Amino acid sequence: MIRAKLMISALVVGGFSISPAMAADVQIVAQNPVIELSASERVDSAPDTASFSTGIESKAPTATEALRDNSRKARVMIEKLKSLGIAAKDIQTTGISLSADYDYDNDARQNRFVGYRVSNQVRATVREIDSLGTILDSLVSSGGVTNLNGPYFSIDDDSQLKTLARQRALENARGQALSYAKASGYSDVRLLLISESIHNVSQRPMVAMARMGNASNESVPVAPGQVGTTVSVKVTYEMIR
């Protein structure tokens, strides 16, 4: 006699985790041998959302001057993002840093203190992907930004894709379990346990960026590609006659 615990849970990976809305913790008695296996299914779809990181860096002889100059430039950058159609809720400050700035003195063979460096980084989400290239170019040419990273593509609501991938993964898992059962002289299988993990894969393209301070008037070419939503399940089945 084999005892198995029935537990249905969900875990979202890639920086975020959630607790299951409902979970059953029930002792189930298995009279026959059990099969444990894993199955994954991925569903690809065109993304409808893109995010990128950008920021402003300032240098000045004193920390106060550097921070004030950076704050002024950061406000211009954020207003520029809004003017390009990005909603305030889709603009988030991700980091502000202040550090001493040094230059290497070749004659003295040592670092020489020259002032302070301040950086303000934000993350922006674009919901009209067709405008992404123009937005990136405008930030460089007239937004004053000193760096860009991304873009990272995603699907705003991928619940239907998760459902489809989940169904396919479970069908795949059951098919494998049934094959093992029949090869072992059993006719069917009974599900005992499921655990699940979900992750999204953004096929990030190489974006041709203009050099800072020397941007062209042409929009930056961007190829969104597709985003993959993968559901992986670990299942335990009991083989039955």
Side-chain angles (χ1 to χ4, degrees), residues 213-227:
N214 188 31
S216 69
N217 292 324
E218 298 180 358
S219 63
V220 178
V222 176
Q226 289 196 318
V227 174

Side-chain angles (χ1 to χ4, degrees), residues 45-120:
S45 182
D48 58 13
T49 306
S51 61
F52 63 90
S53 298
T54 187
I56 292 289
E57 185 177 82
S58 299
K59 297 180 182 180
T62 68
T64 300
E65 290 177 290
L67 183 60
R68 287 178 178 173
D69 179 67
N70 188 266
S71 297
R72 177 183 58 80
K73 291 179 179 178
R75 282 191 286 269
V76 172
M77 174 184 64
I78 291 173
E79 289 304 314
K80 183 65 177 180
L81 287 168
K82 293 178 180 178
S83 72
L84 292 169
I86 300 177
K89 67 182 181 66
D90 291 327
I91 303 171
Q92 182 180 53
T93 299
T94 58
I96 299 174
S97 65
L98 168 67
S99 60
D101 191 24
Y102 296 89
D103 275 344
Y104 185 74
D105 189 327
N106 289 319
D107 294 333
R109 295 185 179 181
Q110 63 182 8
N111 288 325
R112 179 174 58 88
F113 174 77
V114 294
Y116 291 88
R117 182 195 306 262
V118 175
S119 175
N120 187 314

Side-chain angles (χ1 to χ4, degrees), residues 168-223:
R168 291 178 178 177
L170 287 173
E171 290 171 1
N172 185 9
R174 177 175 172 78
Q176 293 182 54
L178 193 57
S179 177
Y180 281 115
K182 290 182 176 180
S184 302
Y186 292 83
S187 62
D188 207 348
V189 293
R190 181 169 69 108
L191 180 63
L192 298 180
L193 183 146
I194 305 174
S195 64
E196 175 187 273
S197 63
I198 301 173
H199 65 274
N200 302 102
V201 179
S202 173
Q203 298 176 352
R204 180 181 170 188
M206 296 299 293
V207 180
M209 297 300 300
R211 289 182 178 272
M212 301 301 169
N214 188 31
S216 69
N217 292 324
E218 298 180 358
S219 63
V220 178
V222 176

Side-chain angles (χ1 to χ4, degrees), residues 20-36:
M22 296 180 64
D25 190 353
V26 181
Q27 293 294 328
I28 294 180
V29 177
Q31 301 290 342
N32 302 304
V34 298
I35 306 167
E36 296 181 355

